[in-house]
Amino acid sequence: MSNVLTAFNTIVIKEMSRVIRIWPQSLLPPVITMTLYFVIFGTFIGSRVGMLDGVPYILYITPGLIMMSVINNAYTNVSSSFYGAKFARNIDEILVAPVPEYVILWGYVGAGMLRGLLTGILVLIVATFFTHISIQHLPLMLLVIILSSALFSIAGLINGLIANKFDDVMIVPTFVIMPLTYIGGIFYSINQLPPFWRDISKANPILYLINAFRYSMIGSADVPVWIAMTMIAFFLILFYTVAITMLKRGYGLRS
């Protein structure tokens, strides 16, 4: 057990040291980006929209902007770091050590979660300069942000395993995660959509993350919170099963 904890702590500390060391590239850009979102969508556009679901528009979009930052940073941290270790063959040192695959997985995922959580906290602090934050369900809020960061950290590890070049690392965030995030109900309520597009939106997994987090902050959501949490748990179990299976089989790691 001590060897397992030592291996886990070593991976997490190494990864987080890298994040802190290059904080102008890892932590500052998402804060600046989200600040621009608050200024443009929250202040300028929000003043024209007014209220949505009984709250000011800027407060309505705040949970989605926080979740967007958490998702992107948790995913990017693991996918880029793991592929970098694979490309430089540093990962071989971990693979030949007597360390179970689940420890390797949770070491990288743990660091991705910490970066996602840290970024989420920074964006939440930024949000307080633009609107009054009133958290309705704090335990649920913490649970959602932890599960969401874990989910996309694991997804990032899968991307790192599959990637054959650095360009592959950015394909999923650019062409999958970002579009799904924008149409996941950050800036609008899916109840405003026609029935057909509303049903299509419910196939977007990120919709459930954003709505569960929104419910924890403002007490309302487009989908029942129990459905949102069920979907989050389902995708977390699915992604974990895929990732641990790939690691055990050495997928993408063996020349």
Side-chain angles (χ1 to χ4, degrees), residues 164-184:
N164 293 316
K165 54 184 182 295
F166 279 105
D167 289 344
D168 294 341
V169 175
M170 298 308 300
I171 288 177
V172 175
T174 303
F175 295 102
V176 179
I177 294 180
M178 189 59 69
L180 289 179
T181 302
Y182 279 120
I183 62 175

Side-chain angles (χ1 to χ4, degrees), residues 41-42 45-46 49-52 55-62 187-188:
F41 288 93
I45 298 178
V49 175
M51 305 289 284
L52 188 59
V55 298
Y57 183 70
I58 190 171
L59 179 59
Y60 183 85
I61 67 174
T62 294
F187 302 106
Y188 60 88

Side-chain angles (χ1 to χ4, degrees), residues 104-126:
I104 300 174
L105 187 152
W106 283 112
Y108 278 94
V109 169
M113 291 173 63
L114 288 175
R115 177 174 169 180
L117 293 171
L118 181 56
T119 307
I121 292 172
L122 292 175
V123 175
L124 179 61
I125 293 173
V126 170

Side-chain angles (χ1 to χ4, degrees), residues 79-96:
S79 61
S80 60
S81 178
F82 191 85
Y83 177 75
K86 188 174 74 170
F87 177 80
R89 304 311 305 176
N90 296 332
I91 195 67
D92 293 346
E93 300 174 5
I94 300 178
L95 295 175
V96 299

